[in-house]
Every structure is written in structure tokens, then in C-alpha cells.
Amino acid sequence: MQRDGLLSLMFYNRDAQRFANLVYGNFDYVQNDLKVKKKVSLNPNQPLDPKDVAAWLNDLNLSVLAKTGVRCINDYLRDPKKAENQFNELLAMELKFNRQEPYASLGRYTHLLCTAFNDNE
């Protein structure tokens, strides 16, 4: 089999959005299936369920070579000032854990490196 190309795909992780809102105590928002009447945040409008993304990739005969969580720790810090005051330590921890489960799946965004294979060889 020959690799037929690479796809770099990043999406807003619905599971992480739900988890963050549970941690923040936004129970009514979670209870309402993460929907609000008037949206005013900078969050993307279409968070995706990782299971749906996996099914779509499977339907397209794409295999995941690597999975990376983006903002696995930063978004859950209780003291947001630590992101500024201890940026180097935070970055080191993000890079250490962002490809390890369960942290990769807790990233606010999920980055997947995918490939397709050509059966002609």
C-alpha cells in the first residue's frame, strides 16, 4: 500500500466544551445541550462530536496517524493568571501531555493528522 496523501484536520471538540462547562459549574448550559438563545462568545459555532468525526474519516477511508489535544490544560486552569505568570511551565505541560490520553481528548480543540492509502501498489 502506498500513502496517498495527508490531511491535517482541527476541530472544536464538543466533549471538551461540555466538560469545561461542567467544571465551570454551567449546569443549565450543559442541561440545555450547550445551546444558548443569544451567542456572544468567541467560541466556534459548530463544536463537533469526536465520534462523528471518527465515523466521517472512516467513511472516507482515512486513518488517523496522530491525535493532539490543543489547550488541554490552559482552559481548565482555576487561576487564569498562571497562564501569563507561568507560561513556560504551562507550555511544557501542554506539550508533555497533549498527545497522551485522557488529556488529548480533553483539549478544547482536537488536531488529527490523517492519511489515505492507495491499494494500487
Side-chain angles (χ1 to χ4, degrees):
M1 283 190 177
Q2 175 184 343
R3 190 179 308 181
D4 200 25
L6 295 174
L7 169 70
S8 174
L9 174 69
M10 188 157 67
F11 63 93
Y12 186 40
N13 182 345
R14 185 170 178 82
D15 289 344
Q17 180 191 28
R18 181 180 300 109
F19 183 69
N21 278 283
L22 287 168
V23 169
Y24 303 151
N26 298 329
F27 304 128
D28 55 342
Y29 181 55
V30 173
Q31 192 70 21
N32 196 28
D33 199 28
L34 307 175
K35 294 181 179 118
V36 292
K37 292 179 184 175
K38 185 177 179 183
K39 190 163 179 118
V40 250
S41 74
L42 296 176
N43 288 340
N45 293 330
Q46 294 290 329
L48 300 177
D49 185 321
K51 291 179 189 106
D52 290 341
V53 174
W56 299 332
L57 294 173
N58 187 57
D59 290 347
L60 295 169
N61 294 318
L62 294 170
S63 300
V64 176
L65 297 175
K67 174 182 175 181
T68 305
V70 178
R71 291 173 31 196
C72 300
I73 300 166
N74 181 74
D75 286 9
Y76 303 106
L77 288 175
R78 288 183 178 203
D79 180 2
K81 291 182 181 179
K82 287 192 178 203
E84 293 175 29
N85 298 339
Q86 294 179 277
F87 176 78
N88 291 335
E89 293 92 337
L90 172 61
L91 180 58
M93 291 295 105
E94 289 276 3
L95 294 173
K96 180 176 181 177
F97 292 107
N98 68 359
R99 290 193 176 180
Q100 295 179 38
E101 291 298 345
Y103 313 104
S105 292
L106 294 174
R108 184 60 66 100
Y109 298 88
T110 300
H111 178 259
L112 302 174
L113 183 62
C114 306
T115 188
F117 287 94
N118 184 342
D119 290 330
N120 294 335
E121 281 199 16

